[in-house]
Amino acid sequence: MSEKYPVDPAFAEKARIRKDDYERLYTESVRDPEGFWKRMSERLDWIVPPTRIKDVSFDPANLHIRWYEDGQLNVAANCLDRHLDTRGDKTAIIFEGDDPGETRRITYRELHAEVCRFANTLKNLGITKGDRVAIYLPMIPEAAVAMLACARIGAIHSVVFGGFSPESLASRIADSKAKLVITADEGTRGGKKIPLKANVDESLTKPNTNSVETVIVVRRTGGAIHMQSPRDRWYHTVMEGQSAHCPAEPMNAEDPLFTLYTSGSTGQPKGVLHTSGGYLVYTSLTHELAFDLREDDVYWCTADVGWITGHSYVVYGPLANGATVVMFDGVPHYPDYSRFWQVVDKHQVTLFYTAPTAIRALMREGDGPVKATSRKSLRVLGTVGEPINPEAWKWYHEVVGDSRVPIVDTWWQTETGGFMITPLPGAVDLKPGSATLPFFGVVPAVVDADGKPLEGEASGNLVITDSWPGQMRTVYGDHQRFIDTYFKTYPGNYFTGDGVRRDADGYYWITGRVDDVINVSGHRIGTAEVESALVAHPKVAEAAVVGCPHEIKGQGIYAFVTLNAGESGSDELRKELIASVRKDIGALAAPDHLQWAPGLPKTRSGKIMRRILRKIAENQPDQLGDISTLADPGVVKSLVEERLVKA
Ligand code: WTA
């Protein structure tokens, strides 16, 4: 039996949701989803309130997912305008720069004005409802302004993480046919400069990017950049003289809000498309309940806006709730390893949300940098992105939270829009390493390889049997891929791509991806993408990439590379190949290990046996399983010997 950390009665007493509330509301939410989600929709301001709540079929032959389909609203108006009367002077964003000397506070009134001015700017530049806008910015308030301005006029934003290469940015621009790109001269991270504008310039020389008519540049560092006239315009110049009044475009609940590209097991990253009404109901509700949000909370999520966590839980959920949000443009170790906790003290952060990889990296530095700070303001701690090992969970709880603060381990995905399995801190007893129980309206199931549902205590693949309002609606421009990826493996269910164990108490323990996706520091990397970057090198014949355990990142990237006949593997070539992946995709995809492979284990029909490569990378050669079906079992022996030499 794993340890249990019961809900603190003092916390429960004041909590929004207690144990009996959770049980009652959960039962209601799955018995009568229409009634439940109709009531929950009332938390938003609708231009036309919805009467048709849910229209869903998970049948691959007739797949459709529609929530609140006759309702009309505007997402930006819900995040801004409706707070003006009651919260106009409340701080919406506390900006904390990479440099600890840089802080800015923006009220809801100020944010509303800035968003309206930028929305008018976009309109003047010819952006209209349905147009796509790419955002390639650091974690600065202008990123939130840009997203909300798009939402205000009905443009579909596509945020690209600033760590992605010009190549990756170009392929996202090409896929979405963006008309406009918003970037900054440079970003700063841990005192280093990131050449964002130069990356945009390079990306726009790549094929299929000539949909871009305008590039708007925020002056962040003042570093030297090239401005190409008339394409490139400074943010501060185009904003001059714009009116702070801009009517919010009435949007149908099912109109797209944004696309966000994420890696899958095959091919190019796909544009996950989220719509307006259901997404905002779901993100705001989950944010309020999982963090037990109160009016005077100061909430800080360390995720970058380039990821779904930054969309749902830096911008949309919290701002829809009228919360005060910290936006941090730095890293946990700069200027020193106390930085997170210094910022917590400085802004009296009450709700803090980060990733296991950051917790592990800080844990390695010992308790000193944490104990040097007070952290008394903290009330709830959260984690997301990958399974958290119990050791890191306990350190987070005992050292960061002084054994006093509950931890919400939130399992969800880019595709799910918001939290799916998570404790509600006043209602659910915690177990270190378990995301615990499903959120309202979420019905998980554990299935075996054939799709047979497993009851009670069980291990298998995690599926969700019915829709929830925050679910993605399609893959941008490729609806068939949406159906094939998520609804064909276990017909009638949404397949998450994750493995799971359910214990005797009904608690869920995510075990990690079961497809060819590697979770590196909480970021999804498709093995196919890394492989195609490797084989693009003229000396490489073939490559196979798998995940391997990594102390800080959770998973590392392990590449097996076969060179062309006549080539030989040198340290220099190894470095060159790793650098080329970095250049092609971004630093986050650079392999941690690269092993030369004279051959790769294949079936007689030529399929690479990744299961075997995974075991070799994990250094578990005794668990290779049956290798008799391989075309050449000898290949495995030599790979294992090579690996063992290195270990
Ligand atoms: C993993 C991030 C265990 C999981 C919000 C999922 C987690 C993938 C957790 C989605 C968690 C996320 N416990 N695993 N609390 N949260 N994951 O799309 O494998 O970037 O499928 O969304 O991260 O990653 P994504």
Side-chain angles (χ1 to χ4, degrees):
M1 262 318 275
S2 56
E3 285 166 88
K4 231 183 199 171
Y5 289 64
V7 173
D8 173 3
F11 190 101
E13 203 182 314
K14 296 190 204 146
R16 285 180 171 273
I17 304 285
R18 298 171 209 175
K19 197 163 283 182
D20 49 341
D21 302 320
Y22 171 73
E23 280 156 16
R24 176 175 49 81
L25 286 167
Y26 182 77
T27 307
E28 183 200 326
S29 72
V30 298
R31 257 197 214 141
D32 176 22
E34 301 238 355
F36 180 83
W37 288 114
K38 179 170 188 351
R39 223 170 67 235
M40 294 305 127
S41 73
E42 289 159 11
R43 59 188 294 106
L44 299 185
D45 267 8
W46 294 84
I47 299 164
V48 177
T51 63
R52 299 217 295 271
I53 304 304
K54 178 186 180 202
D55 179 10
V56 172
S57 163
F58 277 3
D59 173 3
N62 174 35
L63 188 103
H64 60 272
I65 301 165
R66 293 190 276 265
W67 286 88
Y68 308 122
E69 60 182 303
D70 61 347
Q72 277 183 29
L73 80 171
N74 182 279
V75 166
N78 272 281
C79 293
L80 301 167
D81 306 43
R82 69 177 174 138
H83 303 314
L84 293 181
D85 280 346
T86 49
R87 302 183 175 111
D89 297 319
K90 180 174 176 176
T91 302
I93 296 178
I94 301 175
F95 172 64
E96 172 77 18
D98 188 43
D99 175 344
E102 191 186 14
T103 302
R104 234 165 98 194
R105 297 177 85 94
I106 302 166
T107 65
Y108 271 95
R109 203 179 314 285
E110 290 163 344
L111 186 61
H112 173 263
E114 182 91 354
V115 167
C116 286
R117 292 170 61 212
F118 195 57
N120 282 326
T121 302
L122 292 175
K123 284 207 264 189
N124 287 349
L125 291 167
I127 302 299
T128 57
K129 185 169 172 172
D131 284 344
R132 274 81 55 215
V133 170
I135 299 176
Y136 187 64
L137 281 171
M139 273 297 280
I140 54 179
E142 287 79 359
V145 169
M147 293 162 77
L148 291 163
C150 287
R152 191 162 195 93
I153 64 171
I156 305 169
H157 61 70
S158 170
V159 184
V160 180
F161 173 57
F164 276 121
S165 65
E167 195 78 50
S168 297
L169 174 61
S171 71
R172 285 155 173 78
I173 288 171
D175 189 76
S176 63
K177 300 193 184 61
K179 271 172 84 172
L180 187 139
V181 181
I182 306 162
T183 190
D185 48 3
E186 296 174 313
T188 54
R189 268 180 80 79
K192 291 198 205 83
K193 302 262 161 53
I194 321 279
L196 295 174
K197 172 61 166 64
N199 286 352
V200 171
D201 291 343
E202 190 184 333
S203 78
L204 295 182
T205 64
K206 314 260 178 209
N208 305 319
T209 54
N210 56 11
S211 55
V212 175
E213 294 163 5
T214 312
V215 177
I216 296 182
V217 186
V218 177
R219 182 173 277 153
R220 171 78 183 115
T221 64
I225 55 164
H226 174 69
M227 293 291 278
Q228 179 186 314
S229 181
R231 187 194 70 185
D232 302 345
R233 315 282 300 270
W234 285 105
Y235 178 86
H236 56 267
T237 312
V238 287
M239 285 282 271
E240 254 167 46
Q242 296 291 347
S243 159
H245 177 78
C246 174
E249 185 73 28
M251 303 292 286
N252 183 273
E254 283 298 344
D255 280 338
L257 178 61
F258 65 84
T259 60
L260 180 61
Y261 286 79
T262 191
S263 297
S265 29
T266 54
Q268 284 290 311
K270 43 187 180 283
V272 167
L273 185 129
H274 282 287
T275 58
S276 303
Y279 174 80
L280 202 64
V281 169
Y282 198 73
T283 52
S284 65
L285 181 71
T286 47
H287 176 255
E288 179 176 289
L289 300 187
F291 286 101
D292 190 48
L293 183 72
R294 294 192 209 143
E295 194 58 46
D296 55 358
D297 273 316
V298 175
Y299 164 80
W300 178 18
C301 164
T302 66
D304 192 281
V305 285
W307 310 109
I308 191 68
T309 310
H311 285 63
S312 300
Y313 298 111
V314 176
V315 178
Y316 290 115
L319 294 179
N321 287 334
T324 295
V325 179
V326 176
M327 252 182 117
F328 178 52
D329 196 23
V331 291
H333 56 268
Y334 179 81
D336 59 54
Y337 282 96
S338 266
R339 184 71 191 277
F340 271 3
W341 324 121
Q342 289 158 0
V343 174
V344 165
D345 284 354
K346 178 173 172 188
H347 299 302
Q348 291 294 292
V349 170
T350 55
L351 314 172
F352 177 76
Y353 189 34
T354 195
T357 185
I359 297 166
R360 286 191 300 264
L362 294 173
M363 184 170 122
R364 195 170 62 168
E365 302 301 316
D367 301 359
V370 188
K371 293 297 179 195
T373 61
S374 153
R375 292 157 285 103
K376 284 228 166 58
S377 54
L378 290 172
R379 213 162 61 73
V380 180
L381 294 170
T383 101
V384 60
E386 52 171 315
I388 182 164
N389 45 316
E391 197 196 357
W393 192 101
K394 284 184 196 162
W395 185 82
Y396 198 29
H397 184 255
E398 284 159 24
V399 181
V400 176
D402 288 322
S403 304
R404 156 186 84 73
V405 182
I407 294 187
V408 291
D409 175 355
T410 61
W411 173 82
W412 60 296
Q413 310 178 294
T414 304
E415 294 88 337
T416 69
F419 306 154
M420 298 292 281
I421 301 181
T422 178
L424 304 184
V428 177
D429 298 337
L430 306 175
K431 297 186 190 186
S434 170
T436 74
L437 300 175
F439 189 74
F440 300 140
V442 174
V443 190
V446 184
V447 298
D448 68 12
D450 303 321
K452 191 165 81 55
L454 305 171
E455 301 301 326
E457 259 186 279
S459 291
N461 294 330
L462 177 62
V463 302
I464 312 292
T465 63
D466 197 358
S467 186
W468 61 99
Q471 184 169 25
M472 75 182 279
R473 300 299 196 260
T474 191
V475 170
Y476 186 77
D478 196 350
H479 195 61
Q480 194 56 44
R481 189 168 172 201
F482 177 55
I483 300 170
D484 293 347
T485 308
Y486 303 104
F487 300 95
K488 286 245 168 104
T489 323
Y490 302 111
N493 297 294
Y494 164 79
F495 178 41
T496 63
D498 278 329
V500 72
R501 178 169 70 82
R502 186 173 47 216
D503 72 14
D505 294 334
Y507 276 45
Y508 292 87
W509 302 72
I510 307 295
T511 52
R513 302 288 308 194
V514 293
D515 54 6
D516 290 320
V517 170
I518 310 177
N519 191 328
V520 182
S521 301
H523 303 319
R524 282 161 66 168
I525 313 283
T527 53
E529 288 168 70
V530 184
E531 286 163 5
S532 69
L534 288 168
V535 297
H537 192 282
K539 291 185 179 164
V540 173
E542 207 169 25
V545 167
V546 295
C548 64
H550 188 288
E551 212 187 318
I552 302 293
K553 300 180 186 178
Q555 277 194 299
I557 300 178
Y558 197 112
F560 295 89
V561 172
T562 308
L563 295 173
N564 286 326
E567 301 291 348
S568 64
S570 61
D571 274 351
E572 203 178 312
L573 183 57
R574 178 181 284 124
K575 280 193 198 123
E576 191 179 317
L577 290 177
I578 293 175
S580 75
V581 177
R582 191 183 285 268
K583 185 169 175 305
D584 246 30
I585 307 177
L588 72 174
D592 298 277
H593 307 278
L594 194 152
Q595 177 175 342
W596 305 119
L600 293 170
K602 290 182 187 167
T603 60
R604 290 193 191 98
S605 59
K607 197 169 157 336
I608 295 175
M609 297 285 279
R610 288 165 188 287
R611 173 179 59 81
I612 292 174
L613 291 175
R614 232 173 268 136
K615 290 296 170 199
I616 296 172
E618 287 166 8
N619 211 8
Q620 297 185 319
D622 49 331
Q623 290 179 30
L624 292 180
D626 181 14
I627 57 167
S628 63
T629 55
L630 291 181
D632 175 9
V635 162
V636 173
K637 192 163 167 273
S638 83
L639 289 179
V640 169
E641 278 162 9
E642 268 283 301
R643 176 65 174 91
L644 288 176
V645 171
K646 294 180 65 216

